Amino acid sequence: MQKYILIIGACGQIGTELTLALRSKYGNDHVIASDIREGSESLMASGPFEILDATDYDALEEIVAYYEISEVYLMAAMLSATAEKFPMRAWNLNMNSLFNVLNLGKEKKIDKIFWPSSIAVFGPNTPKTDTPQNTIMEPSTVYGISKQSGERWCEYYFNKFNVDVRSIRYPGLISWKTMPGGGTTDYAVEIYHKALAKSAYTCFLKEDTALPMMFMDDAIRATLQIMESAPEAIKVRSSYNLSAMSFTPAQMAKSIQEQLPDFKMKYEPDFRQAIADSWPSSIDDTNAQQDWGWNAEFDLEKTTNEMLVNLSS
């Protein structure tokens, strides 16, 4: 029997590319995109779309029943920088949407759930280098608090109700297809657009702020890979550490200057610096490698090349 998949938050930075990847794999009509607003032309033209408020359980339940959905990817969330401005709105969206989906799983109305966590679950007391899978967390942002709470609830619903929920802690994500949505690592996408348009960029983080990052193709591949793995392979039911590369804004600027020698970078740190300072500079993802065969393909040089080539054209 062919499965039907629902993506909630399909118009966001990850959701857009994930929708298209799933449609190319399972067929356009078998992947239902949904969001609170319409998305890009390519997304809207590629298959079924529903306007959906992720915090509305009845509306969600109706779509699940109508399309006979078996898998849900919950990508709707308010990200780190935006969540600091609207704490209660962020908490309500990030937590209520998760409970809605977990409860559908508990009631056996869906079979499998993907929910993304983030490096934001870590805090100032977390070991900064090669942050292990299990460690001190103590997040200091609204987004991080909601993600850490979400991890605990995912594990709880798996242990108590056998809900097949799977999760990875995304690092900062870099894509040429979609613009970022209010996160602390957004500079790593904006920089390429400004490098090509103006040969200059003013970064909102200090030049030596190392953060874990990942090219979007790797993130999508990891998401599909964990969801396609046998249930017994998924030994972590909170969320898996995931790693690809770590670099500073200065290192990123240098990688751009190798192709665009006239590119200039300035630094004017803002409130996002404090958020970045509370996060790890690199991640140990041994568990993901061992349990379901994860391995990143993109480093900084390959990412820069891919971004500049695609954005230029």
Side-chain angles (χ1 to χ4, degrees), residues 3-24:
K3 62 184 170 189
Y4 285 84
I5 296 168
L6 174 65
I7 306 189
I8 303 169
C11 301
Q13 187 194 16
I14 309 171
T16 301
E17 296 191 43
L18 180 61
T19 302
L20 297 174
L22 284 166
R23 282 180 171 164
S24 112

Side-chain angles (χ1 to χ4, degrees), residues 23-266:
R23 282 180 171 164
S24 112
K25 192 171 181 73
Y26 295 110
N28 291 355
D29 293 340
H30 287 269
V31 180
I32 318 307
S34 72
D35 210 312
I36 203 153
R37 58 182 166 80
E38 291 194 349
S40 64
E41 256 176 74
S42 59
L43 177 82
M44 299 304 291
S46 69
F49 181 87
E50 294 281 347
I51 294 285
L52 173 67
D53 175 353
T55 62
D56 184 340
Y57 181 82
D58 293 339
L60 172 59
E61 187 181 34
E62 199 175 304
I63 287 173
V64 164
Y66 180 78
Y67 288 101
E68 299 178 344
I69 299 294
S70 59
E71 286 184 18
V72 172
Y73 291 71
L74 173 55
M75 312 310 290
M78 194 179 288
L79 301 185
S80 57
T82 313
E84 289 304 295
K85 297 174 186 169
F86 308 105
M88 288 319 298
R89 272 166 57 187
W91 177 260
N92 290 335
L93 170 60
N94 296 358
M95 296 312 297
N96 292 343
S97 60
L98 176 59
F99 277 123
N100 287 346
V101 174
L102 288 174
N103 285 327
L104 285 172
K106 177 186 168 186
E107 290 160 22
K108 307 300 176 209
K109 291 179 177 171
I110 49 177
D111 301 328
K112 201 190 287 188
I113 296 162
F114 178 81
W115 174 79
S117 189
S118 160
I119 56 166
V121 294
F122 301 118
N125 298 317
T126 302
K128 278 192 97 63
T129 311
D130 290 332
T131 301
Q133 175 67 42
N134 298 306
T135 186
I136 296 167
M137 289 179 150
E138 299 178 357
S140 56
T141 64
V142 176
Y143 180 61
I145 292 165
S146 73
K147 286 296 180 187
Q148 196 200 6
S149 305
E151 287 191 11
R152 304 270 60 82
W153 281 113
C154 286
E155 191 175 64
Y156 182 87
Y157 269 72
F158 172 74
N159 289 331
K160 286 278 183 186
F161 310 118
N162 201 29
V163 173
D164 187 357
V165 56
R166 304 166 184 213
S167 178
I168 48 187
R169 294 169 181 154
Y170 287 127
L173 297 178
I174 303 168
S175 166
W176 57 270
K177 293 177 188 167
T178 47
M179 288 301 284
T184 301
T185 53
D186 287 4
Y187 89 86
V189 178
E190 292 169 359
I191 189 172
Y192 292 109
H193 289 267
K194 291 289 197 283
L196 288 165
K198 298 185 173 174
S199 295
Y201 180 62
T202 303
C203 184
F204 55 73
L205 298 180
K206 291 180 192 163
E207 62 186 309
D208 59 352
T209 307
L211 287 170
M213 297 280 189
M214 181 173 282
F215 189 60
M216 186 65 84
D217 289 23
D218 270 344
I220 299 298
R221 201 165 47 80
T223 306
L224 299 186
Q225 200 176 333
I226 192 173
M227 286 296 275
E228 285 160 6
S229 298
E232 57 274 14
I234 310 302
K235 298 182 171 68
V236 176
R237 289 293 181 161
S238 52
S239 192
Y240 277 94
N241 272 4
L242 201 69
S243 178
M245 53 186 149
S246 287
F247 54 78
T248 65
Q251 288 169 323
M252 188 168 225
K254 187 166 177 284
S255 81
I256 292 171
Q257 284 158 350
E258 281 167 14
Q259 295 193 45
L260 303 171
D262 295 336
F263 175 66
K264 299 278 190 293
M265 183 94 135
K266 285 198 307 185

Side-chain angles (χ1 to χ4, degrees), residues 270-291:
D270 66 12
F271 74 98
R272 288 169 282 197
Q273 183 64 48
I275 299 175
D277 288 342
S278 74
W279 290 354
S281 55
S282 60
I283 298 285
D284 177 353
D285 63 0
T286 307
N287 290 71
Q289 293 178 41
Q290 290 174 346
D291 292 358

